[in-house]
Amino acid sequence: MINGRLPAVVVTLTCAVSGLGLVGCEESSKAGSDASAERTTAAGNKAADEDLLTGTRKITVDGRSVNVSCSGSAADGRPAVVLVAGGGDGLEKMAGIQETLSKKNRVCSYDRLGEGASDQPDGPQTLESTGKVLTAVIDRAAGDGPVVLAGHSLGGLIAARYAPDHQDKVKGLVLMDATSPTQSADLNKGIPQSATGPAVELREQTLAILHGGKPERLMVPDGKVRSAGDIPVEVIQHGQQYLAQVPDYGPGLERAWTEGQRKWLAVSGSSKLSTAKNSGHYIYVDQPDVAVRAIERVTSQAADRG
């Protein structure tokens, strides 16, 4: 666990470089745990009640309770937006951007298992199992309609891994400083076994989380980026180079992070990369206007494509 012996920059970096919440990172509050519960039946399938979810409710996926929040309404043919938070964060962290987007769009967010007001996972999770939870959320968010996924950090990785296998539903992506598709290799190369100092603890703690540590117990293997077709995709990277502050290894970590953002462009033939110049890792907090405009552009492009 991270403790007071580590420099503050290392605590920040441990959250940012992997997008995973550890002790000392901003974690979702459990305040939403008293929200009224609404139960669905089959995992990943539509609920018997065909009405789309509104407000904050609980749905059940494979016997586990998942906290979901939906607001706003979509014009005919316009995809619903599903926000996918980074590790250690949940729907409360994304409440501000959800409120802004819901003025013109139908928007939903959720707490993955192990986060916020959702249940703890009953064992190790995989991208497939966390994708099953996302499918259930999408069904309640959009019914038979399309969606745009907007993911931050680990949530961006999850969204980009999910989209190629669900091209019937996912019609656009916005990836906000998404965790690199080769994050483990990036860390092992950027902070080698011969390294000393606080960077070593950073590497070991981050790799432990990527390999099934708490809170989500999610296994996040490295892998090539698969194509989701020609859907509109915007990849937004941070502009404030805070990773460069890590002693000895910071500049290399920044270069690897930037390269990781470029790798995500392969998810679509219609991808574009931009930089939020005044933002750290939390782009939707530091420069919410940049995030909102990107999500609305992708949603409009997806709607125009039908």
Side-chain angles (χ1 to χ4, degrees):
M1 290 169 48
I2 296 175
N3 56 52
R5 293 177 299 162
L6 292 175
V9 65
V10 175
V11 175
T12 301
L13 176 59
T14 305
C15 302
V17 73
S18 64
L20 297 165
L22 301 177
V23 175
C25 300
E26 290 186 272
E27 294 188 354
S28 300
S29 167
K30 295 285 183 179
S33 60
D34 293 330
S36 60
E38 176 182 340
R39 303 293 177 182
T40 66
T41 51
N45 294 327
K46 295 177 189 174
D49 180 2
E50 291 292 332
D51 292 338
L52 298 180
L53 188 152
T54 300
T56 302
R57 300 285 186 271
K58 301 286 184 65
I59 66 174
T60 300
V61 184
D62 277 353
R64 313 303 290 174
S65 181
V66 177
N67 196 40
V68 183
S69 172
C70 292
S71 53
S73 58
D76 290 344
R78 191 171 176 87
V81 176
V82 176
L83 303 172
V84 190
D89 297 324
L91 62 83
E92 289 191 351
K93 182 73 175 180
M94 307 200 86
I97 190 171
Q98 178 169 337
E99 181 180 5
T100 300
L101 287 165
S102 65
K103 295 174 183 177
K104 298 180 180 178
N105 306 274
R106 176 165 170 77
V107 189
C108 297
S109 58
Y110 70 110
D111 295 326
R112 291 190 300 277
L113 294 179
E115 303 286 8
S118 291
D119 282 351
Q120 296 296 309
D122 56 6
Q125 296 195 84
T126 63
L127 289 173
E128 180 180 2
S129 65
T130 203
K132 181 179 273 190
V133 173
L134 178 53
T135 295
V137 172
I138 288 172
D139 284 344
R140 299 316 308 273
D144 291 329
V147 296
V148 164
L149 300 181
H152 168 249
S153 197
L154 176 63
L157 181 149
I158 290 170
R161 294 291 193 208
Y162 180 90
D165 294 325
H166 298 85
Q167 296 181 46
D168 58 325
K169 295 288 288 185
V170 180
K171 301 302 181 182
L173 287 171
V174 177
L175 308 179
M176 297 174 282
D177 227 32
T179 301
S180 169
T182 55
Q183 187 65 75
S184 291
D186 295 348
L187 278 174
N188 282 321
K189 181 179 180 181
I191 307 174
Q193 292 299 315
S194 59
T196 59
V200 176
E201 192 167 352
L202 161 64
R203 181 194 63 212
E204 296 307 312
Q205 290 176 345
T206 304
L207 290 175
I209 294 297
L210 289 169
H211 299 160
K214 294 181 179 180
E216 295 184 43
R217 302 184 65 187
L218 176 61
M219 303 293 294
V220 188
D222 286 353
K224 292 183 178 179
V225 177
R226 294 182 298 127
S227 174
D230 199 39
I231 63 173
V233 174
E234 293 206 22
V235 179
I236 313 171
Q237 63 184 353
H238 66 257
Q240 293 182 347
Q241 296 196 356
Y242 57 88
L243 304 186
Q245 300 175 52
V246 177
D248 301 321
Y249 303 100
L253 291 173
E254 278 288 356
R255 289 191 295 271
W257 188 266
T258 298
E259 181 57 29
Q261 303 310 293
R262 293 195 186 103
K263 289 176 182 177
W264 284 124
L265 294 174
V267 77
S268 170
S270 296
S271 297
K272 59 177 290 188
L273 174 66
S274 63
T275 301
K277 295 181 179 180
N278 299 318
S279 177
H281 185 52
Y282 279 85
I283 292 169
Y284 67 92
V285 174
D286 295 342
Q287 288 189 269
D289 56 325
V290 171
V292 167
R293 285 198 300 266
I295 294 168
E296 291 189 335
R297 275 194 303 269
V298 168
T299 303
S300 295
Q301 291 165 10
D304 291 343
R305 293 181 178 212

